Amino acid sequence: VGGTMQWTCTSTTAHISANTFLPYVNCRFQTNEKRWDEKVNIETAKLAKGNRAYTLAGLTGIQFAPSLFEIPVWVTRVEALVELDVSYCESLLEVPSFIGSLQLLQVFRLAGCKNIRELPWSIGNLRELRILALAYCKSLGALPASLSNLSLLSQMPLQGCKSLQTPPPEVVSRGLPAVLEYLAALAFLD
């Protein structure tokens, strides 16, 4: 393709460490064979140096640096995304509703995001989600009833969620099955 080399990395995770509004972000790519850092234009998926293009098709995981204040919409273009980690992004104020379009997402880590007050209803569309890490989301006040749609959800740590009122603490103390049952009852009432 006229001087452009296409390449895909399988089982790759990008560790995003720059401001999400800059066109180029520093990414650390890792496969079973090697690990390397590159500046990538996340909008075009092209590397900053040379004419090589990186296809987002092989990207399966993204971990953002704690300075993140907004989950960028471009994550929805990462079609094979199975893990999204925004843990301890203390400036993050909300989880956008487009998160529900990440159909292959299995792990969503939000632990320590102390300023998130609620999760979008669309999170219940993540049918492959197995782990939703919410520990120490100190401002989280309620879980959406749509979480009861997630039949594969097996882990949802809630310790340190001091503001959580829905479900109430006595339900949370009985574990994930009790929480999901409570949320299913709420969904039925809606």
Side-chain angles (χ1 to χ4, degrees):
V1 184
T4 300
M5 182 175 90
Q6 296 286 333
W7 51 286
T8 302
C9 303
T10 56
S11 301
T12 304
T13 301
H15 299 272
I16 310 297
S17 58
N19 182 321
T20 59
F21 291 109
L22 295 175
Y24 287 95
V25 293
N26 294 318
C27 294
R28 174 167 294 143
F29 298 98
Q30 183 172 338
T31 67
N32 292 336
E33 296 84 35
K34 65 179 184 173
R35 179 183 198 174
W36 69 100
D37 293 330
E38 294 273 6
K39 281 191 179 286
V40 176
N41 181 322
I42 227 58
E43 293 298 322
T44 63
K46 292 201 182 280
L47 298 175
K49 292 186 247 174
N51 291 328
R52 292 181 292 169
Y54 171 69
T55 71
L56 295 179
L59 190 61
T60 59
I62 299 174
Q63 179 182 27
F64 285 97
S67 58
L68 181 79
F69 57 88
E70 181 178 58
I71 298 174
V73 73
W74 60 256
V75 299
T76 60
R77 292 198 303 260
V78 184
E79 295 172 6
L81 191 63
V82 295
E83 183 169 357
L84 181 58
D85 188 346
V86 295
S87 297
Y88 297 96
C89 292
E90 295 182 357
S91 297
L92 188 62
L93 299 177
E94 68 177 356
V95 176
S97 62
F98 64 71
I99 258 347
S101 68
L102 299 173
Q103 296 302 304
L104 299 179
L105 198 65
Q106 296 177 18
V107 178
F108 190 15
R109 298 186 192 285
L110 290 155
C113 293
K114 66 180 184 179
N115 290 309
I116 291 178
R117 298 185 187 286
E118 63 183 9
L119 298 175
W121 183 266
S122 66
I123 203 163
N125 296 334
L126 301 175
R127 304 289 186 202
E128 298 297 319
L129 197 64
R130 289 159 171 75
I131 299 171
L132 179 58
L134 298 171
Y136 303 103
C137 291
K138 296 177 182 179
S139 298
L140 186 62
L143 298 177
S146 64
L147 285 177
S148 64
N149 298 334
L150 305 178
S151 61
L152 297 177
L153 191 63
S154 61
Q155 294 179 40
M156 189 170 64
L158 293 169
Q159 70 269 22
C161 295
K162 297 177 180 180
S163 300
L164 193 60
Q165 298 298 311
T166 305
E170 58 272 12
V171 173
V172 172
S173 68
R174 295 196 314 257
L176 181 59
V179 168
L180 294 177
E181 183 178 314
Y182 180 90
L183 294 174
L186 284 181
F188 180 74
L189 294 174
D190 285 344

